[in-house]
Amino acid sequence: MQTTHTTHAALWAAAAFALPLAATATEPEPASSVVLYGAVDVGFVHFTGVPAAGDGAPVTAWGLASSIGAASALGVRGRSQLRPGLTLDFTAETGFCAAGLNQIGVDADDPAQTFCSGAGFMQRKAELGLSGGAGRISAGLQPTLLALREGDVDAFEDGYAGAVGNLSLVSTNRPGLGLSRVAQALSWVSPPLGSLHLSAQYSFNAGRHGPPFGSDGPVPRAWSVDLNHDAAGLLLGATVAQYRNFRYALSDDTPYLDGHYRIGMAYLRAPLFGALLGNALVQRNTADGSDGRETVWSIGLALPVGTTRWMASIGHYASSMAPLPQRVDESRAWQYALGWRCDLSRRTQVHVSYAFIRNAAADATHAGSALSPSPGGGVTGVDSHGFALGLTHHF
């Protein structure tokens, strides 16, 4: 059964790459460009109610951090006109620690954190794509459709202290899944369908690091589909994704689950009054071999005024999910956030943001989420505050 599934996936991949080629002419028309791009982001952050290094009481931490308003990253991207109607493009992007490896938010002893975002050199994003009459097909290490759409409708643009990622299932899912980025990913974006946009993504190994979580289990596969309407300032859509062969990130002894993890997201960004934008999203998941589920919703407002942007949002997280035969009480967390950004130039912004999380967690494995410099999340049942003031420059 697995061999048949793999064969079908391989055939689909080959056919997908052939689609743009089939829709083009044969006369060459050489034209190409390569661009170096990136961003440097550094700021002062202050957190309260965050995990201590050991099992001590929650602590307060402050200092310099990077990737608050935008990920500090360096990349190269390019395009080549292969022939009329057929274009090749590529991207290779790496993260770096603009405040140093010992910045707040990074464990300097963790090799995976050496680049502060992404799993290694050029591992934030790396893909090769072809665009033609049948749309765009690309392959490599890519952000998931879930992560892309989540950032599109977050009032905080999935950054700053109030990022929806503090609570979202994309960032805080119970199973150890690659919901933000997936390796061995193949994506297709349809050609224009009026105001409708259709995208699909398949990952041959959603774990990103060879056989993920150890070599003793099956490789997790994943697919996702996104459909949205985007016209006249209104973005309305839905994304569904399914992962097979996942493992809960609760302990090294947790077995692989030969089942499916499913997540769905509905989202909206709409003009309200004048320049005021309303943003909303709802996420929910279920999983085979598990009890309970997780649900997240977020509502936000964004107001561009001249060179400034004002941001506010309220979010809620609830979870009762646990691998069977475990059953746990529902945990909840609420996030309230405010933010402001000012464009000093076309490429440079100063920003300030604040968020408060009311963390009503029921147990240590369902701590909800908290503003924290620790990748492990918050402290069970402990509220947290986060303040950030920073400067971002894009180039």
Side-chain angles (χ1 to χ4, degrees):
M1 184 65 181
Q2 181 68 29
T3 301
T4 301
H5 172 78
T6 303
T7 301
H8 288 169
L11 291 174
W12 180 84
F17 265 110
L19 283 174
L21 294 170
T24 61
T26 57
E27 296 181 5
E29 185 179 320
S32 62
S33 64
V34 178
V35 176
L36 180 70
Y37 72 95
V40 183
D41 179 283
V42 179
F44 171 80
V45 296
H46 185 279
F47 300 104
T48 63
V50 300
D55 297 325
V59 299
T60 296
W62 65 89
L64 292 184
S66 179
S67 302
I68 304 165
S72 290
L74 176 66
V76 58
R77 58 181 170 229
R79 298 176 63 86
S80 288
Q81 189 77 31
L82 301 180
R83 58 187 64 173
L86 180 63
T87 302
L88 177 143
D89 64 88
F90 69 88
T91 302
E93 182 179 308
T94 188
F96 63 90
C97 304
L101 291 179
N102 63 340
Q103 68 175 353
I104 288 185
V106 175
D107 180 0
D109 296 326
D110 182 358
Q113 295 298 320
T114 302
F115 294 89
C116 294
S117 62
F121 182 67
M122 292 300 178
Q123 293 300 290
R124 273 188 53 83
K125 184 178 182 181
E127 66 173 1
L128 190 64
L130 287 173
S131 299
R136 180 178 182 268
I137 184 75
S138 59
L141 170 65
Q142 302 174 337
T144 65
L145 298 179
L146 287 165
L148 290 173
R149 300 292 87 79
E150 181 180 274
D152 286 341
V153 299
D154 180 20
F156 286 79
E157 302 169 307
D158 212 7
Y160 314 107
V164 70
N166 293 335
L167 297 181
S168 81
L169 302 185
V170 174
S171 302
T172 66
N173 61 92
R174 297 308 322 151
L177 297 173
L179 297 186
S180 296
R181 296 185 184 90
V182 282
Q184 297 192 33
L186 188 63
S187 298
W188 172 71
V189 178
S190 72
L193 303 170
S195 63
L196 293 179
H197 300 82
L198 175 65
S199 303
Q201 189 174 63
Y202 182 86
S203 173
F204 295 90
N205 186 339
R208 296 187 62 196
H209 303 292
F213 315 120
S215 59
D216 59 333
V219 174
R221 316 275 182 187
W223 62 261
S224 61
V225 176
D226 176 79
L227 177 65
N228 66 68
H229 163 86
D230 189 1
L234 174 66
L235 175 63
L236 173 65
T239 310
V240 294
Q242 180 171 278
Y243 285 66
R244 183 174 178 85
N245 300 329
F246 62 92
R247 187 169 99 175
Y248 277 86
L250 302 182
S251 72
D252 293 336
D253 298 327
T254 305
Y256 285 87
L257 301 178
D258 184 17
H260 296 87
Y261 174 92
R262 295 166 291 272
I263 180 171
M265 179 173 71
Y267 54 89
L268 169 70
R269 185 185 66 220
L272 298 179
F273 308 103
L276 184 66
L277 294 174
N279 302 268
L281 68 81
V282 177
Q283 300 170 338
R284 176 169 290 184
N285 65 25
T286 59
D288 296 341
S290 68
D291 179 68
R293 64 188 179 190
E294 292 179 297
T295 303
V296 166
W297 59 259
S298 176
I299 299 174
L301 295 172
L303 178 62
V305 180
T307 59
T308 66
R309 176 184 173 95
W310 297 85
M311 301 164 280
S313 68
I314 300 174
H316 177 259
Y317 166 94
S319 174
S320 59
M321 178 174 279
L324 291 171
Q326 297 182 51
R327 282 182 167 79
V328 298
D329 295 331
E330 188 171 64
S331 296
R332 294 179 180 273
W334 294 262
Q335 175 173 280
Y336 308 92
L338 293 171
W340 172 83
R341 183 186 72 206
C342 179
D343 295 334
L344 302 180
S345 71
R346 186 170 63 89
R347 297 179 178 272
T348 306
Q349 300 90 34
V350 60
H351 51 83
V352 59
S353 52
Y354 168 82
F356 166 68
I357 287 184
R358 173 75 177 94
N359 189 353
D363 61 68
T365 60
H366 287 72
S369 179
L371 290 167
S372 169
S374 167
V379 180
T380 303
V382 174
D383 297 345
S384 58
H385 303 256
F387 170 82
L389 170 65
L391 188 66
T392 306
H393 179 71
H394 299 267
F395 57 89

